[in-house]
């Protein structure tokens, strides 16, 4: 492999690692992402780090500006509403097409993703107030599997980027008490059942209700203690 190919592979690897660390809440909204410091942390050159950050910018997980460099986006209530709006429009179409076009293999993958999700604890061990990163990962995988059979790479890419852009809000939402009346597990099970019945209207309606319920929950539990890192 050429040196350029090696650099590209390294950038993709660092991209995945930083992306996961953002999802795991290791970089707060507004935190500066300095290539020199990240290079030491991820054992990569500043060139590789910058390429990774540019890729993350395409996912809306990183922003950049002249004079300030790269940083994690700040949370914004209206942006969350707007992201949810366009996510619902795109995933409604993607899920409808997936139900129309997906075969038994797709159903099996959706079932497997849901099984993993149901077997993954939502809370971190020893910390009942904060989300488990592994659950977030399983949750993203389940929703990704739902739409992947639509067969349109551009639409899948849009759905993935919108999901990533909204995930940071979930990570940094205030701790949710166990007394919440919402049953997320039941919501997922109902979506799955409608998909397997090939009931497009019901499946898409449930998916949109699911996203709007999450939006309202995040707005109601808006973080108060998230501030930009120095």
């Amino acid at each position: 492999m050429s040196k350029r190919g090696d650099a590209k592979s390294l950038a993709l690897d660092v991209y995945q690692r930083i992306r996961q660390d953002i999802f795991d809440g290791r970089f707060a909204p507004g935190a500066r992402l300095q290539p020199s410091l990240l290079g030491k942390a991820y054992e990569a050159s500043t060139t590789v780090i910058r390429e990774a950050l540019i890729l993350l910018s395409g996912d809306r997980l990183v922003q950049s500006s002249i004079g300030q460099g790269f940083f994690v986006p700040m949370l914004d209530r209206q942006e969350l509403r707007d992201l949810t709006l366009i996510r619902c429009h795109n995933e409604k179409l993607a899920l409808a097409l997936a139900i129309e076009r997906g075969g038994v293999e797709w159903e099996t993958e959706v079932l497997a993703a849901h099984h993993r999700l149901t077997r993954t604890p939502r809370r971190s061990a020893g910390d009942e107030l904060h989300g488990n990163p592994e659950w977030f990962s399983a949750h993203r995988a389940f929703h990704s599997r739902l739409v992947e059979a639509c067969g349109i790479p551009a639409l899948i890419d849009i759905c993935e980027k919108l999901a990533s852009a909204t995930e940071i809000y979930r990570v940094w939402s205030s701790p949710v008490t166990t007394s919440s009346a919402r049953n997320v597990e039941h919501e997922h099970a109902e979506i799955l059942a409608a998909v397997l019945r090939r009931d497009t209207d019901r499946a898409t309606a449930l998916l949109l209700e699911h996203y709007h319920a999450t939006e309202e929950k995040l707005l109601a539990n808006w973080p108060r203690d998230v501030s930009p890192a120095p």
Side-chain angles (χ1 to χ4, degrees), residues 29-104:
R32 291 184 62 194
L33 300 172
Q34 301 181 51
S36 59
L37 297 179
L38 293 177
K40 295 177 182 179
Y42 294 94
E43 300 181 337
S45 68
T46 55
T47 299
V48 168
I49 294 295
R50 287 181 181 279
E51 288 190 25
L53 293 176
I54 290 171
L55 289 173
L56 288 162
S57 297
D59 291 342
R60 297 180 62 86
L61 291 174
V62 168
Q63 292 181 347
S64 63
S65 65
I66 298 175
Q68 293 186 355
F70 297 96
F71 56 93
V72 179
M74 290 295 293
L75 304 185
D76 181 89
R77 288 175 180 270
Q78 187 57 49
E79 182 184 56
L80 174 60
R81 295 187 181 97
D82 291 340
L83 287 171
T84 302
L85 175 66
I86 57 178
R87 185 182 187 189
C88 286
H89 279 290
N90 282 279
E91 289 204 25
K92 179 180 181 180
L93 172 61
L95 181 57
L97 289 172
I99 292 173
E100 176 186 331
R101 300 176 177 181
V104 175

Side-chain angles (χ1 to χ4, degrees), residues 120-150:
T120 305
R122 291 187 64 195
R123 302 286 179 252
S124 299
D127 184 357
E128 291 299 316
L129 294 180
H130 294 88
N132 176 11
E134 292 184 2
W135 185 88
F136 289 135
S137 178
H139 185 251
R140 290 195 300 272
F142 172 66
H143 281 279
S144 294
R145 291 291 179 271
L146 285 174
V147 302
E148 68 179 4
C150 73

Side-chain angles (χ1 to χ4, degrees), residues 158-230:
I158 290 171
C159 292
E160 183 66 27
K161 283 180 167 54
L162 290 171
S164 295
T166 56
E167 189 71 9
I168 192 172
Y169 287 89
R170 185 193 303 276
V171 170
W172 285 100
S173 64
S174 298
V176 179
T177 63
T178 55
S179 61
S180 173
R182 187 182 179 197
N183 189 335
V184 176
E185 290 75 15
H186 181 65
E187 291 174 21
H188 289 145
E190 281 199 313
I191 293 170
L192 175 65
V195 165
L196 296 179
R197 292 196 308 269
R198 303 289 175 150
D199 187 340
T200 301
D201 290 341
R202 179 65 174 162
T204 54
L206 288 170
L207 184 67
L208 268 56
E209 289 176 10
H210 179 68
Y211 286 152
H212 283 302
T214 296
E215 174 192 14
E216 293 306 315
K217 184 177 180 180
L218 294 178
L219 290 171
N221 292 276
W222 197 257
R224 300 178 180 178
D225 58 350
V226 175
S227 59

